[in-house]
Amino acid sequence: MELPKSLSTKENTQLKEILARVKTYYQDAESGHDWLHINRVWNNALQIVKSEKANAFVVCLGVLFHDIADPKFYDGDTEIAPKLTRDILEEFEVAEEHIQQVLDIVVFSSFSASKTAEKLPDFIEFKIVQDADRLDAIGAIGIARTFNYGGYKNSPLYLPGDDSYNNSTIQHFYDKLFLLKDLMNTNAAKEIASKRHEYMLAFVKQFKAEWEGKA
Ligand code: NI
């Protein structure tokens, strides 16, 4: 993984060591939230950080920890991730103010938390990680992830007609993926998202045309 150029020597060393440690926690993660997802979100975040005044060290830490111990896979236990994050960051002597920000990122970056939380953090590093994570849910990667998850859940590919009881993978585009471009915080992410959005629209259009034998 490429490291941002703006880091101090100390941060550079810390980040490399933390990265190696955190990687081990993603070994058994499912493919939508595994280490490869972290790599892609990292690349998205580095792209966004270039056009924002942000602390790249906090952004990178936020990316590394944002899916650690996802409560979805720990019986809804939301305490594990922040505790693990604090323990590791303290062990590597990260400053308390940075730990606080990374914890906010870990707690609030999920789609469900962002919908239910009364007030979301509004520091730029949080917004960048949230954008970078959401970008990985759309476009060609988003399509691949969605069908992969649908396969894991044994969902039907597509159920034409009434959408209200539809658990098909194509329905998921309408329920979530097509909404994401309007939720981006930063201009850089908005720009990337709009291209990825167009790509998904074209995909679904072609999919339905093929379904009906019209393409
Ligand atoms: Ni994620």
Side-chain angles (χ1 to χ4, degrees), residues 9 12 30-32 57 62 65 67 70 80 87 102 121 129 144 148 152 176 183-185 193 198-199 202 215:
T9 316
N12 215 66
E30 54 85 30
S31 72
F57 182 60
F65 286 93
D67 274 331
D70 187 334
I80 298 176
D87 286 351
V102 177
V129 175
N148 187 49
Y152 164 73
K176 180 174 172 188
L183 297 178
M184 297 296 160
N185 305 297
E198 290 304 315
Y199 189 87

Side-chain angles (χ1 to χ4, degrees), residues 129-142:
V129 175
Q130 197 181 41
D131 281 358
D133 193 29
R134 286 174 170 168
L135 283 176
D136 196 52
I138 61 176
I141 305 260

Side-chain angles (χ1 to χ4, degrees), residues 33 37 66-67 133:
H33 303 273
H37 165 67
H66 86 277
D67 274 331
D133 193 29

Side-chain angles (χ1 to χ4, degrees), residues 151-169:
Y152 164 73
K153 286 278 185 189
N154 202 24
S155 306
L157 293 178
Y158 176 46
L159 297 172
D162 180 15
D163 286 343
S164 47
Y165 299 100
N166 199 325
N167 68 339
S168 75
T169 301

Side-chain angles (χ1 to χ4, degrees), residues 139-140 143 170 173-174 178 194-210 215:
I143 295 170
I170 287 293
F173 285 79
Y174 295 93
F178 288 154
S194 100
K195 289 184 203 145
R196 295 189 184 193
H197 184 78
E198 290 304 315
Y199 189 87
M200 291 193 299
L201 286 178
F203 169 79
V204 170
K205 193 175 168 207
Q206 173 72 15
F207 183 101
K208 288 184 173 177
E210 290 181 15

